[in-house]
Amino acid sequence: MDPVRNPYAPGAGQRPPELAGRDRELQQFEVVLERVARGRPERSMVITGLRGVGKTVLLNTFKSMAIQRLWGTGKIEARPEQSIRRPVAAALHMAVRELAPRHRAPERIDEFLGVLKAFAMRDPSAAKGTTHWSPGIDVPAARGRADSGDLEIDLTELLSDAAGVATDLGVGIALFIDEMQDVPAADISALCAACHELSQIGGPLIVVGAGLPHLPSVLSASKSYSERLFRYARIDRLDREAADLALIVPAEEEGVAFTSDALDALYEAADGYPYFVQAYGKVAWDLAPRSPITAEDIKVSAPEAEEELAVGFFGSRYERATPAERDYMHAMAQLGDDPVATAEVADALGRKPSSLSPARDSLIKKGLIYSAERGLIAFTVPHFGRFLRAQPV
Ligand SMILES: Nc1ncnc2c1ncn2[C@@H]1O[C@H](COP(=O)(O)OP(=O)(O)OP(=O)(O)O)[C@@H](O)[C@H]1O
Ligand SMILES: [Mg+2]
């Protein structure tokens, strides 16, 4: 069928034509926004899940919901070993820029921007002598606020000042952090402390995160009270009904249907994982000669979809691993698809567990595996074990 009208959207952070099966999370976030705006105590939300289940897309949807309520919003994507100071400054700059035109007292905005600039300029990793901050804030940097160099103190002051600006307007500010598991440990701890402080003064600013399944344990290792700050929403594969909707609704808009056998075959192939649903849907659409799309069309198109996934979804990640890390993952894959004990992996490789810690740690850092519970590890990428087992070693 006409590829120009193909509605499906496989790709990182690509907005799906139909956001299926996330009603519960959307409702929860509505409640969070409403309660925070009213100054009620509320835990913020942190979305967790495997690669390609739709965390980024959901986070972006939350952001749109906040914007609809006239909140100020900003978003960062955390990177390993990169301090969040500058990215947070840039994100809050965006958030306050959204609010500024509606604010009646421009000097309040300028005051905040001065603090923001001072905060950003304390970045210890910035090259010496580069005191100016490129995203052009014209006001001079303030002194004596958010500029101590201690991220915990500075964040607390910055976030509460930002919340103050939002309070003037009767709205809130939401700061979104994607790949939150990659925020460096010291920064996570500062961030939690700042959120903790803010929740005590009831400021209308929330930090909303998304990350891999071990994010809750990263947060609680950092601050024992993190469970009282965040409500964790683990998102997963779509159930049959939701996966069908994700395919049917966009097709219907183009006057295209699926036979029920085709939907059976698609669910079998994609296993409900949102990325796979989009990937198989897209190729099936392109190769099907006419509506309705049949089980035969799925059978014909599946190999091409798998090939695209092997390159774009699995291969691009596999490429990031060193030979030693690949051996480690192959050994994991041979042990099955459930979380496996690190000791078992060592056994399978005929090595001492301690000698494998560097490979394991760096795979965790690269976001390819995660520690499911103590001593157990699993792939962050769905069906990765199957992909590896099909690879020539
Ligand atoms: N609820 C949904 N219904 C249908 N498709 C979805 C849904 N959520 C996400 N998708 C699709 O799944 C794909 C992956 O989404 P997204 O990039 O948000 O995943 P992710 O969890 O952030 O992955 P990663 O961990 O790799 O960053 C996209 O192509 C998106 O369109
Ligand atoms: Mg993502």
Side-chain angles (χ1 to χ4, degrees), residues 90-298:
L92 283 180
H93 189 198
M94 290 301 289
V96 168
R97 274 164 57 108
E98 285 169 7
L99 300 182
R102 278 180 276 133
H103 204 290
R104 297 246 194 82
E107 66 280 3
R108 282 273 290 158
I109 301 287
D110 285 353
E111 209 178 295
F112 174 74
L113 292 178
V115 173
L116 182 69
K117 192 171 187 175
F119 173 86
M121 280 166 42
R122 281 313 297 236
D123 185 5
S125 63
K128 269 221 168 69
T130 55
T131 46
H132 74 276
W133 183 42
S134 41
I137 291 179
D138 295 334
V139 301
R143 289 183 63 180
R145 194 147 174 88
D147 63 353
S148 74
D150 177 328
L151 187 63
E152 179 171 330
I153 296 171
D154 295 353
L155 259 182
T156 304
E157 292 180 348
L158 182 74
L159 295 186
S160 54
D161 285 6
V165 172
T167 305
D168 296 344
L169 287 162
V171 293
I173 286 181
L175 173 64
F176 297 90
I177 305 187
D178 203 357
E179 303 291 348
M180 194 174 183
Q181 77 283 341
D182 285 341
V183 175
D187 290 26
I188 272 283
S189 152
L191 187 68
C192 286
C195 289
H196 192 41
E197 188 71 26
L198 213 69
S199 71
Q200 290 166 28
I201 57 172
L205 187 149
I206 48 170
V207 172
V208 187
L212 293 173
H214 64 293
L215 178 54
S217 60
V218 169
L219 290 170
S220 65
S222 167
K223 291 281 189 228
S224 57
Y225 55 72
S226 64
E227 265 137 71
R228 280 173 278 141
L229 293 177
F230 301 110
R231 179 199 305 277
Y232 298 117
R234 167 102 193 226
I235 61 170
D236 214 326
R237 325 157 32 190
L238 302 173
D239 60 21
R240 175 65 198 260
E241 199 186 337
D244 285 359
L245 281 178
L247 291 162
I248 295 171
V249 174
E252 243 168 24
E253 269 167 41
E254 300 289 340
V256 169
F258 291 87
T259 67
S260 69
D261 288 355
L263 291 171
D264 289 345
L266 277 166
Y267 196 71
E268 167 100 30
D271 202 17
Y273 284 106
Y275 195 106
F276 301 160
V277 169
Q278 301 295 331
Y280 283 96
K282 177 149 195 219
V283 179
W285 176 289
D286 283 349
L287 295 188
R290 69 187 72 80
S291 176
I293 299 173
T294 64
E296 183 58 27
D297 297 334
I298 306 305

Side-chain angles (χ1 to χ4, degrees), residues 13 51 55-56 178-179:
R51 295 267 170 228
K55 302 178 295 296
T56 300
D178 203 357
E179 303 291 348

